Amino acid sequence: MFGIRSPKKNSTAATAVVTGAGSGIGRAFALEIARRGGVVLCSDINLESARETVQLIALAGGQAWAWRCDVSELAEVEALAAKADELLPAPVDLVINNAGVGIGGKPIGETAISDWQWTLGINLWGVIHGCHVFAPRLRKLGRGGIINVASTASFSAAPLMGPYNVTKAGALALSETLSAELAGTGVTVTALCPTLVKTNINANGRIVGESSKLFDRLMDRFGMSASRVVRDALNALDRGDLYVMPQFDARLIWRAKRLIPRTYAAGTGLINRFGASRLH
Ligand SMILES: NC(=O)c1ccc[n+]([C@@H]2O[C@H](COP(=O)([O-])OP(=O)(O)OC[C@H]3O[C@@H](n4cnc5c(N)ncnc54)[C@H](O)[C@@H]3O)[C@@H](O)[C@H]2O)c1
């Protein structure tokens, strides 16, 4: 009865901020954190959708708040942190940098620069803003965790996904660097790298032409549920794992890229010549 008490897990009874919490993976994170006894500030560029997530949490007996935040704007992420100080009962100790958009279907050179800017603004600058604003707070607190929602696209280099791949590679590099910088501070960083997850990413994004239809078919057939993905991610955070790849194909691509890089690169070229190039 006097056993050693294990330290509180980062995902349990957390005081959390989730970006993009109005849909898909972000909503699943908010619900799961609340289920684990945490309180959540649900932020999204679409306030109505964040409010719906709050209602779902309330219906399940949890506590959450909604706030509009466009993660591509540093001032809005700073305002989000200030709102968290005002609304939440304790300092934030869990940050989920999740907000993101999908884009694909056009090769580099045919993708409009405005599409590159839109994608980088949300998927890359959004995560940079989240880490820039919240990492110093967590370091000061001396405990907690950050999950950055990256993707298998961080390292898969699939054709016709240039802007998306670039932003997710950046989000992974940022997570790895931040993890090193926070080592020994009590704060851990986890990069979530799933393949397909059943969410609204295609409907909400700019995946065009045949690529969009193919994406929907693949997502229907092979997509993992968002609730399963976030459980894996939060468990990985609790173990202090930097990388979490919930699906077998993600782990396979990760290993192939490292073990047989030339064969892997040749394979993506073949996929483009005989598959992807016919999609646009
Ligand atoms: N669905 C997948 O197959 C998949 C796979 C790997 C990674 N991801 C990543 O998961 C994350 C969540 O995407 P999802 O699949 O749940 O898609 P989703 O479209 O269902 O949800 C994304 C949410 O982000 C919000 N959002 C968009 N722009 C925003 C902005 N500027 N500021 C704040 N919120 C914004 C949207 O309103 C939406 O509620 C993204 O980073 C995405 O790249 C998704």
Side-chain angles (χ1 to χ4, degrees), residues 23 25 44 69-71 98 149-150 164 168 195 197 199-200 204:
S23 175
I25 296 172
D44 202 288
C69 172
D70 176 352
V71 295
N98 160 77
V149 180
Y164 192 77
K168 294 300 179 179
T195 47
V197 188
T199 69
N200 299 312
N204 289 339

Side-chain angles (χ1 to χ4, degrees), residues 165-251:
N165 292 345
V166 167
T167 60
K168 294 300 179 179
L172 184 58
L174 180 67
S175 309
E176 291 168 328
T177 310
L178 186 61
S179 168
E181 290 177 0
L182 291 174
T185 64
V187 183
T188 61
V189 179
T190 296
L192 170 59
C193 303
T195 47
L196 293 167
V197 188
K198 288 193 168 105
T199 69
N200 299 312
I201 191 165
N202 195 9
N204 289 339
R206 296 185 186 176
I207 306 174
V208 295
E210 288 301 313
S211 288
S212 174
K213 290 179 199 154
L214 177 67
F215 186 90
D216 268 346
R217 282 202 300 276
L218 292 173
M219 190 153 81
D220 270 358
R221 184 117 188 255
F222 302 111
M224 192 179 257
S225 75
S227 56
R228 165 82 193 280
V229 167
V230 306
R231 281 199 304 276
D232 281 2
L234 290 167
N235 293 341
L237 179 84
D238 288 340
R239 290 192 300 271
D241 291 350
L242 171 55
Y243 307 103
V244 54
M245 293 162 203
Q247 295 113 322
F248 174 75
D249 49 352
R251 297 191 289 276

Side-chain angles (χ1 to χ4, degrees), residues 102-121:
I103 185 163
K106 287 188 184 167
I108 294 162
E110 290 178 31
T111 302
I113 288 297
S114 56
D115 284 340
W116 278 93
Q117 287 164 338
W118 175 73
T119 316
L120 265 68

